[in-house]
Amino acid sequence: MEVVEILREASNRIYANVKDLPGTDNAAGDFGIGAGGDTSRNIDIIAEKTVLDYLKEINFDCIVLGEECGRVEISDKSKGFVIMDAIDGSANAVRGVPFFCSSLAFATENKLSSITDGVITNLSNGEMYWASKNKGAFFENEQIKVHNKDPIYKIVGINTSGSSIELMNKMHPIFENHNHTRHFGANALEMAMFARGLMDIFIDFRDKIRIQDIAAGYVIVKEAGGLLLDAELKPLDADLSYQTRVSFIAAANQKILDEIMSQINQ
Ligand code: IPD
Ligand code: CA
């Protein structure tokens, strides 16, 4: 079975196991602080267990790097890492806001740039995005590309959650200049929607995002033809450690990147 098929099956199983939970008291149960540093909710634990059980069932030779469970060695003959954010957008999921997803990626080395496969499933409706290196990105069996033409409405995604006053001041012209700014609350799904052409650019300059939140989006955005850069506008890369936090910008093309970057107060 190809790696991407394994990740797709694991994602389908998450959807089957959590689809009735969002917005219920049962989603919220508190399991203490997880490996990624946030409170682990019952819905996170159920979703992670679904993936771990499946990978054990098929004896997949890998090490899982989960946002809640931490590092789990499924096999001692590991071929690589499964980077798991079983629920991205946990706050939305617990409150019942229909914007959250699962994000599963496979990396051969301890680097974002070694990711070969990624799958993001919109857990409010089961729609799936996936990509494998050099094989393209897909949404529900259709190949997807970033929105590479002059947009009728320019949609600028910006993650502002927990932003400092300094960062908000820097970004202020983007909000003021009649861009249609959006922030939905699940970075992985926002990256997938950007890759599908529903946004022209997506920015997260907070220095807060974890590897688990962007790993699958990394390969999906790249395979859809998007530019994926760090805050210095160099190709985005990072190691897979639990301490790593990144800032990034995903842009459909150089023109929109230059246009939006020229508006940021330096
Ligand atoms: C969160 C989401 C959210 C972002 C947070 C992340 P989680 O992931 O991606 O959009 O603003 O920084 O922590 O905790 O729901 O997996
Ligand atoms: Ca999560």
Side-chain angles (χ1 to χ4, degrees):
M1 204 170 172
E2 295 206 12
V3 169
V4 75
E5 293 305 325
I6 293 171
L7 302 184
R8 278 163 52 86
E9 175 58 20
S11 300
N12 279 330
R13 289 184 182 208
I14 295 176
Y15 180 56
N17 285 353
V18 307
K19 66 178 172 10
D20 298 326
L21 284 178
T24 67
D25 288 347
N26 196 18
D30 183 337
F31 282 78
I33 301 295
D38 288 345
T39 302
S40 300
R41 299 289 169 187
N42 197 31
I43 191 167
D44 298 313
I45 301 296
I46 291 172
E48 281 203 341
K49 183 173 182 315
T50 302
V51 177
L52 293 170
D53 286 351
Y54 172 62
L55 297 178
K56 285 176 193 158
E57 179 187 317
I58 63 166
N59 293 314
F60 187 47
D61 290 327
C62 68
I63 293 167
V64 176
L65 302 175
E67 191 173 286
E68 318 300 332
C69 63
R71 180 187 168 102
V72 178
E73 296 198 10
I74 302 286
S75 145
D76 54 14
K77 308 186 292 285
S78 164
K79 296 192 185 89
F81 302 97
V82 170
I83 309 161
M84 168 168 74
D85 189 1
I87 304 286
D88 183 57
S90 296
N92 284 348
V94 167
R95 293 296 306 272
V97 178
F99 196 92
F100 51 96
C101 64
S102 60
S103 167
L104 300 176
F106 184 78
T108 52
E109 315 283 337
N110 184 34
K111 281 270 171 203
L112 210 50
S113 51
S114 78
I115 292 175
T116 56
D117 301 272
V119 176
I120 292 172
T121 296
N122 179 340
L123 295 174
S124 67
N125 59 17
E127 288 175 348
M128 190 182 281
Y129 301 76
W130 74 95
S132 295
K133 196 170 182 181
N134 301 325
K135 292 187 182 163
F138 297 85
F139 168 66
E140 298 284 273
N141 294 321
E142 295 282 336
Q143 187 157 11
I144 53 173
K145 291 275 170 202
V146 293
H147 190 254
N148 213 347
K149 41 187 171 188
D150 277 341
I152 301 171
Y153 293 106
K154 199 190 307 149
I155 307 277
V156 176
I158 306 187
N159 193 332
T160 52
S161 189
S163 277
S164 64
I165 185 77
E166 291 78 16
L167 181 58
M168 290 310 277
N169 282 338
K170 271 178 83 168
M171 307 296 263
H172 182 251
I174 301 178
F175 293 96
E176 197 173 37
N177 284 346
H178 303 292
N179 299 301
H180 298 274
T181 52
R182 301 286 183 269
H183 173 211
F184 299 104
N187 255 33
L189 192 50
E190 286 160 290
M191 290 175 86
M193 286 172 47
F194 161 80
R196 189 181 152 199
L198 307 188
M199 290 183 223
D200 302 290
I201 198 157
F202 182 74
I203 307 166
D204 185 348
F205 279 173
R206 301 168 304 149
D207 281 335
K208 284 182 193 286
I209 209 75
R210 290 169 294 237
I211 292 303
Q212 278 76 10
D213 300 310
I214 58 165
Y218 175 89
V219 64
I220 293 172
V221 164
K222 286 184 89 94
E223 287 297 318
L227 299 170
L228 193 52
L229 307 169
D230 64 21
E232 274 79 53
L233 304 186
K234 304 219 177 67
L236 180 66
D237 202 1
D239 64 37
L240 305 182
S241 124
Y242 277 88
Q243 277 69 50
T244 301
R245 298 288 182 274
V246 300
S247 280
F248 73 94
I249 183 163
N253 52 55
Q254 193 66 41
K255 186 174 171 218
I256 182 107
L257 178 69
D258 292 345
E259 183 189 327
I260 296 297
M261 287 307 294
S262 72
Q263 295 177 23
I264 293 179
N265 288 324
Q266 295 306 328

